[in-house]
């Protein structure tokens, strides 16, 4: 693959990406490592070629199967919320989708274990991450509401689709000091929440209102 495909031209160029990063800064994203990933991950290769010119707009875009690539602001916000408090070891991601969030996060943590229920999306994500030479990711086709017990416990868990209530199994797979960032609630009324596992308890902080596709049960 040519370097040009990753670096982009015109609507996918460095200037266009800088504008997106500037916008995220203005909206309060402060973690420089995260902003750097947003600038450097070629979001346009994760969407259909016809949508490439819109890849650096701060919006969710369709990726097929009724799913969307997350809005850059949300990817940045969730990554920042997960990383706040120090570097992370193993992270579980539920809802790989096209793999964009995975690509942003992977170099910032030790390892990402990612679970997706739609097999075709997972295969595409694998291919993109291979192209980007991101190697610290383990993939699983399955129901992420069950977490990934064999790989746990996790220092961080990030959920990219909204359950009505937090799956118990995810909280159970959080290591001591670990953080779970998850959008919770029905469509139109979701709230982004960060849970932190303490010695004897779990604390809960609200990070504001958000809009996600629903977290579903079972394999797609
Ligand atoms: N972060 C992704 C976007 C994810 S959209 C990106 O950057 O592209 C949410 C994804 O969660 C969809 O791909 C959907 O298929 C998946 N999903 C929904 N319920 C799931 C479940 N129970 N287990 C695993 N994946 C699930």
């Amino acid at each position: 693959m040519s370097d040009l495909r990753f670096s982009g031209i015109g609507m996918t160029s460095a200037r266009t990406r800088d504008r997106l990063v500037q916008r995220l800064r203005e909206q309060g994203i402060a973690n420089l490592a995260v902003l750097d990933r947003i600038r450097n991950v070629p979001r346009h290769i994760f969407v259909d070629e016809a949508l490439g010119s819109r890849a650096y707009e701060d919006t969710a875009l369709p990726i097929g199967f009724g799913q969307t690539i997350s809005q850059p602001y949300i990817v940045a916000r969730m990554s920042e919320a997960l990383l706040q408090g120090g570097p992370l070891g193993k992270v579980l991601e539920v809802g790989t989708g096209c793999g964009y969030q995975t690509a942003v996060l992977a170099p910032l943590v030790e390892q990402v274990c990612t679970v997706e229920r739609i097999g075709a999306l997972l295969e595409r994500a694998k291919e993109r991450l291979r192209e980007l030479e991101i190697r610290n990711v383990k993939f699983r086709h399955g129901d992420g509401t069950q977490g990934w017990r064999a790989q746990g416990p996790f220092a961080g868990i990030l959920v990219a689709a909204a359950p009505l209530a937090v799956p118990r199994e995810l909280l159970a797979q959080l290591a001591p000091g670990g953080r779970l960032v998850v959008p919770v609630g029905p469509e139109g009324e979701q709230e982004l929440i960060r849970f932190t596992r303490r010695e004897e308890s779990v604390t809960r902080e609200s990070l504001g209102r958000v809009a996600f596709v629903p977290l579903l049960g079972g394999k797609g």
Side-chain angles (χ1 to χ4, degrees):
M1 186 149 331
S2 71
D3 284 352
L4 196 59
R5 175 152 179 252
F6 291 162
S7 61
I9 46 169
M11 290 304 286
T12 60
S13 69
R15 264 229 331 258
T16 313
R17 299 184 197 193
D18 283 343
R19 269 200 296 272
L20 170 62
V21 168
Q22 186 53 34
R23 191 187 145 108
L24 300 189
R25 274 176 182 275
E26 284 161 14
Q27 289 181 303
I29 305 297
N31 184 312
L32 294 178
V34 170
L35 289 168
D36 201 53
R37 290 303 293 156
I38 297 283
R39 181 183 287 107
N40 290 315
V41 175
R43 190 168 183 255
H44 63 277
I45 73 162
F46 289 89
V47 297
D48 215 63
E49 230 168 301
L51 290 171
S53 66
R54 301 189 55 199
Y56 300 96
E57 288 175 17
D58 189 22
T59 95
L61 294 168
I63 53 172
F65 308 93
Q67 305 302 323
T68 56
I69 180 171
S70 308
Q71 180 191 355
Y73 172 77
I74 284 295
V75 169
R77 183 83 182 91
M78 289 183 91
S79 304
E80 184 171 76
L82 201 67
L83 293 165
Q84 205 174 44
L88 287 179
K90 220 185 225 189
V91 171
L92 173 69
E93 178 187 46
V94 175
T96 319
C98 66
Y100 174 67
Q101 164 85 70
T102 325
V104 168
L105 191 63
L108 307 179
V109 302
E110 211 171 281
Q111 185 175 51
V112 177
C113 299
T114 188
V115 185
E116 169 59 55
R117 64 187 286 279
I118 300 176
L121 281 178
L122 190 70
E123 288 310 312
R124 233 156 51 191
K126 265 188 203 169
E127 204 176 300
R128 293 291 168 272
L129 292 167
R130 199 180 316 123
E131 284 170 1
L132 294 175
E133 297 178 5
I134 293 172
R135 299 186 218 281
N136 60 337
V137 179
K138 285 203 165 101
F139 300 88
R140 179 181 190 182
H141 179 209
D143 177 9
T145 59
Q146 301 306 307
W148 191 343
R149 202 174 261 270
Q151 290 291 335
F154 300 97
I157 301 179
L158 187 155
V159 186
L164 292 174
V166 183
R168 271 169 185 281
E169 199 48 46
L170 296 184
L171 280 171
Q173 289 174 30
L174 215 49
R179 307 184 273 279
L180 162 63
V181 177
V182 55
V184 181
E187 226 180 311
E189 290 170 45
Q190 297 162 358
E191 202 183 356
L192 190 62
I193 299 175
R194 177 170 54 195
F195 293 92
T196 306
R197 177 168 288 289
R198 310 278 180 207
E199 291 280 320
E200 303 280 319
S201 63
V202 174
T203 58
R204 178 188 193 280
E205 297 158 84
S206 172
L207 306 176
R209 298 290 294 262
V210 285
F212 276 80
V213 295
L215 185 75
L216 305 169
K219 279 193 197 177

